Amino acid sequence: PEPPYAARSVMDAVLWPSAYALGAWLADQPLSTLQGHRVIEIGCGLALPSIVAASMGATVYAVDTSARAVRLARKAAARNLRRERRHHFRAKAIDFRAVTNSSYDLVLVSGQLY
């Protein structure tokens, strides 16, 4: 086991400033920016930008290689999205390179270069 202070032990359970900034930026956009669009967030972590996009009318697919992050993202979406928007949010623990034969109107990425 890793010591509790090891960065890798918490990386997938942290709301990173870049995700907060992207989510805040999305929330400031007109609803028409996202309404009815297909969005993917790569390396979603806790998926705050994805949750914001789904709350604004987008259909969102959030992906991350961490199963723990995806579990936390799903829990956050269930608690924070209105009931009628929850089915527009999907999260899956996969390598983003495995997402094939799909097209999206918007790709969200935050904090991937660290």
Side-chain angles (χ1 to χ4, degrees), residues 45-61:
L46 301 180
L48 178 62
S50 289
I51 293 168
V52 171
S55 74
M56 294 177 68
T59 298
V60 180
Y61 187 33

Side-chain angles (χ1 to χ4, degrees), residues 16 18-19 41-45 63-64 96 108-114:
W16 295 98
S18 57
E41 183 178 5
I42 297 172
C44 67
V63 299
D64 199 296
F96 73 91
L108 302 174
V109 180
S110 67
Q112 301 311 312
L113 302 175
Y114 47 83

Side-chain angles (χ1 to χ4, degrees), residues 38-103:
R38 290 176 34 90
V39 175
I40 186 169
E41 183 178 5
I42 297 172
C44 67
L46 301 180
L48 178 62
S50 289
I51 293 168
V52 171
S55 74
M56 294 177 68
T59 298
V60 180
Y61 187 33
V63 299
D64 199 296
T65 57
S66 167
R68 180 169 77 160
V70 168
R71 279 193 309 275
L72 292 171
R74 288 177 182 154
K75 184 181 272 190
R79 289 186 177 172
N80 291 288
L81 287 172
R82 292 189 329 252
R83 186 175 311 272
E84 65 270 14
R85 294 301 315 156
R86 290 182 193 152
H87 71 279
H88 291 278
F89 176 91
R90 291 183 315 153
K92 190 170 184 180
I94 61 169
D95 185 316
F96 73 91
R97 293 172 291 187
V99 178
T100 59
N101 298 325
S102 297
S103 64

Side-chain angles (χ1 to χ4, degrees), residues 26-40:
L26 287 169
D28 283 342
Q29 304 309 304
L31 283 177
S32 61
T33 304
L34 293 168
Q35 210 161 30
H37 287 85
R38 290 176 34 90
V39 175
I40 186 169

